[in-house]
Amino acid sequence: MYCPFPLNKSLKKKKKKKWMTSLKIDPLGMRLGFGEPSPHVSRAQAHTGRAHPADLAPRAHAHWCRDGPRRPRGPGFRFRLPGLMAAPAELAGGGVQEAAGTVEERVLEPGAAPFGNFPHYSRFHPPEQRLRLLPPELLRRLFPPEGPEKRAILGLDVGCNSGDLSVALYKHFLSLRDGETCSDALGDLRLLCCDIDPVLVARAEKECPFPDALTFVTLDFMNQRTRKALLSSFLSQFGRSVFDIGFCMSVTMWIHLNHGDRGLREFLAHLASLCRYLLVEPQPWKCYRAAARRLRKLGLHDFDHFQSLAIRGDMAEQIGQILTQEHGMELVCCFGNTSWDRSLLLFRAKP
């Protein structure tokens, strides 16, 4: 069976994850040329020749963990981080009002970002690590032209941070080179990118090279009233009720830690109801422990739900089962793992 990602010989002998073999792989993934779910690829095996920050960080600077910078081993190192959380902008008349006033910056230790709102996330989790696993023609295969008029493809990026990955995904799927601003290969791709941190969203808006195609908004996705109003307003501009594809890249852990098992299930339920396809990158359980450990080392209050979480262990398996067994989605393909050991899973809503 054809798979666009050549496997290392040592990987061919490895067994597949039990949960992946137990799930029914949608034949669509095979028709699209994705093949069966790829086995997990270790950091060393997936290395592309580009040095990972963890291999380069000098001892006097911050050391990098799976989901954020660890406490520095040298003196005098501080991160500039905005306030931990600002209330999401309220909606009025279907639009988004700018939050009044400015958000003051605070000097915090590295890792003190309980919502995953690291100010320089792409420095230790570069977009290229995800892009190398995703075929550039993915959206063209999922959404082939249906007529002479090109239908806009609508995407939802939840937890976009400062927009680096959002922009990289846009360029990747349109096969844009540096300096190019448009492509006729895919047609009209529009992304709604949201994050809980208004400072990161403001930075994304300021630095985005495609302001007509990418919309950045401040949104607490777990706030039902603001979420429904904002997403409905965006979709109504295109006469749609759902997004074609959703991107949830390293967000599930932060939802889980801050909202518990019930919150994670609600979050996945919302995404399943909002998107025809869903690309998810769950954080593994070791990232949960690392995030909780960082807060304890800094003397901060632990995550309210961490000790009481019943959903734990293999989080890719747990999230895959919730989406397939509780919300009627099908696993189309696993594109493999990033060098920091996170699976890229593509799901599709059943017709």
Side-chain angles (χ1 to χ4, degrees), residues 110-122:
F115 301 99
N117 51 326
F118 297 103
H120 300 291
Y121 182 81
S122 62

Side-chain angles (χ1 to χ4, degrees), residues 11-265:
L11 294 178
K12 294 182 180 180
K13 300 179 182 179
K14 290 188 176 182
K15 294 182 180 180
K16 298 176 184 177
K17 287 283 186 178
K18 292 183 180 179
W19 73 273
M20 289 183 177
T21 57
S22 65
L23 288 176
K24 178 182 177 182
I25 307 303
D26 182 8
L28 173 64
M30 302 177 187
R31 293 199 300 271
L32 293 176
F34 300 142
E36 297 179 350
S38 303
H40 286 261
V41 180
S42 69
R43 173 173 146 184
Q45 293 159 337
H47 207 282
T48 59
R50 181 186 176 99
H52 190 275
D55 301 322
L56 300 179
R59 287 180 176 269
H61 294 88
H63 287 245
W64 307 95
C65 72
R66 302 289 185 182
D67 212 300
R70 288 178 181 167
R71 191 183 185 92
R73 298 188 181 181
F77 186 90
R78 292 291 185 272
F79 252 45
R80 298 292 296 177
L81 185 66
L84 294 183
M85 179 177 179
E90 295 296 328
L91 294 167
V96 181
Q97 292 181 346
E98 293 293 331
T102 58
V103 180
E104 295 182 358
E105 287 192 347
R106 298 176 60 191
V107 179
L108 295 177
E109 293 280 358
F115 301 99
N117 51 326
F118 297 103
H120 300 291
Y121 182 81
S122 62
R123 293 184 183 178
F124 49 94
H125 284 245
E128 292 79 13
Q129 282 292 320
R130 281 91 167 220
L131 301 184
R132 69 177 182 81
L133 297 175
L134 299 172
E137 67 277 8
L138 173 63
L139 297 190
R140 290 192 288 273
R141 293 184 183 181
L142 295 179
F143 312 107
E146 298 179 353
E149 296 185 3
K150 293 183 178 180
R151 179 176 180 269
I153 298 174
L154 304 185
L156 173 65
D157 185 9
V158 180
C160 64
N161 198 265
S162 58
D164 294 322
L165 181 57
S166 308
V167 172
L169 287 169
Y170 180 82
K171 293 174 64 177
H172 183 68
F173 290 134
L174 266 65
S175 300
L176 296 179
R177 300 175 181 176
D178 291 339
E180 291 183 327
T181 59
C182 63
S183 171
D184 295 330
L186 182 62
D188 195 10
L189 173 62
R190 300 295 183 92
L191 298 180
L192 176 62
C193 313
C194 59
D195 197 275
I196 198 172
D197 192 319
V199 174
L200 295 176
V201 170
R203 183 189 304 169
E205 288 182 308
K206 180 179 179 180
E207 299 177 358
C208 179
F210 311 106
D212 293 334
L214 280 71
T215 302
F216 291 94
V217 295
T218 302
L219 174 66
D220 179 356
F221 198 83
M222 299 303 289
N223 185 313
Q224 181 177 359
R225 181 175 64 88
T226 54
R227 180 189 67 244
K228 183 177 180 179
L230 193 150
L231 300 187
S232 297
S233 176
F234 180 86
L235 289 169
S236 65
Q237 299 177 40
F238 303 90
R240 310 278 188 85
S241 57
V242 296
F243 290 87
D244 293 304
I245 188 167
F247 301 97
C248 181
M249 314 297 278
S250 291
V251 174
T252 53
M253 179 184 75
W254 303 110
I255 297 293
H256 201 187
L257 286 173
N258 287 285
H259 298 275
D261 292 333
R262 180 177 178 180
L264 177 63
R265 280 193 158 89

